[in-house]
Amino acid sequence: MLQAGDIIKNRYRFEELIGRGGMADVYRVFDLQRTTYLAMKVLKADLAEDREFLRRFKAEGNRLAKLQHPNIVRFYGLDQDGPLAFMLMQYINGRTLKTEIFNENGPMSYEKIWLIMKSVCSALNYAHSLGYVHCDVKPANIMIDDDGQVYITDFGIAREVDATTSTMVGFGAPAYMSPEQIKGIDPTPTMDIYSLGIMLYE
């Protein structure tokens, strides 16, 4: 695990671990050149030496580079430092929608629901218009910053609508996955809409 104070590429200083996933860990880092905080997603060491996982990681970076929308976390670049493979993204100082739902301790106001869903739908509509399906829409992948701005994160398993291979079965959160996605049927925007419906109900 990377430690606070570690500096790589003579530029990025690690501050703290802010998230963990199956393929990568996410750190808050300070960019010494830009003098700003960024989120650094670091591919786990054992996976960084697996060509298939490294290919998926790079594919995620390529997807994010194409998705420029005010409600999608901004992507800044993909890089390597020896065995360390990482991508740099906008750092969101806030909380997930999952945390927000838990803290409400009851139903959200209709106004709050509307503001969140309007932003998420706008971002998904944009991604769908470019031919991408997120495939993992859930409250844990929606961030809300301290000013109330809403962002979709984690396009790690997003697929192109015209992909020649079927959706990766087993990827995504089962509680939010559409029946078609569980069966491994080729991705379509309706899969995200199904997940969105479950999230709205929750």
Side-chain angles (χ1 to χ4, degrees):
M1 183 184 294
L2 295 160
Q3 302 295 322
D6 289 349
I7 298 176
I8 65 168
K9 307 284 281 191
N10 295 316
R11 177 171 179 175
Y12 306 109
R13 185 182 69 220
F14 288 89
E15 299 288 327
E16 62 176 332
L17 177 70
I18 57 175
R20 281 191 158 168
M23 288 178 60
D25 294 329
V26 181
Y27 294 84
R28 180 169 67 98
V29 300
F30 187 74
D31 185 338
L32 298 171
Q33 287 187 19
R34 292 178 180 166
T35 64
T36 189
Y37 288 104
L38 298 174
M40 179 184 282
K41 189 171 186 177
V42 180
L43 190 63
K44 292 190 175 179
D46 56 331
L47 300 181
E49 295 180 348
D50 184 310
R51 293 188 185 279
E52 175 57 23
F53 277 100
L54 192 58
R55 183 194 65 77
R56 289 184 192 174
F57 194 64
K58 290 179 178 178
E60 179 184 358
N62 291 334
R63 281 190 292 271
L64 286 172
K66 297 174 184 176
L67 296 172
Q68 301 295 321
H69 187 277
N71 299 114
I72 295 176
V73 172
R74 188 171 296 123
F75 172 76
Y76 290 117
L78 188 68
D79 206 346
Q80 282 188 264
D81 185 25
L84 202 69
F86 61 91
M87 64 177 67
L88 295 157
M89 299 172 291
Q90 176 183 5
Y91 172 68
I92 308 298
N93 189 22
R95 64 276 177 203
T96 66
L97 178 57
K98 182 178 181 179
T99 298
E100 192 84 352
I101 291 170
F102 179 81
N103 290 342
E104 283 287 323
N105 199 30
M108 280 189 185
S109 68
Y110 287 120
E111 180 183 16
K112 192 170 185 178
I113 293 170
W114 163 252
L115 291 173
I116 293 169
M117 292 300 292
K118 181 180 179 182
S119 298
V120 174
C121 287
S122 176
L124 285 177
N125 181 63
Y126 168 78
H128 293 164
S129 73
L130 294 183
Y132 290 102
V133 181
H134 188 285
C135 295
D136 198 19
V137 175
K138 59 184 178 183
N141 282 339
I142 308 300
M143 291 290 300
I144 304 171
D145 71 15
D146 291 340
D147 295 323
Q149 177 79 352
V150 178
Y151 303 86
I152 293 184
T153 68
D154 204 351
F155 274 79
I157 65 169
R159 301 297 304 279
E160 293 184 52
V161 173
D162 61 352
T164 55
T165 56
S166 61
T167 302
M168 295 176 288
V169 179
F171 284 76
Y176 300 91
M177 288 168 67
S178 70
E180 294 85 355
Q181 189 174 352
I182 291 171
K183 292 176 182 177
I185 295 172
D186 288 347
T188 66
T190 56
M191 291 180 178
D192 284 347
I193 294 170
Y194 181 97
S195 302
L196 194 64
I198 295 174
M199 192 174 77
L200 174 60
Y201 177 80
E202 185 178 352

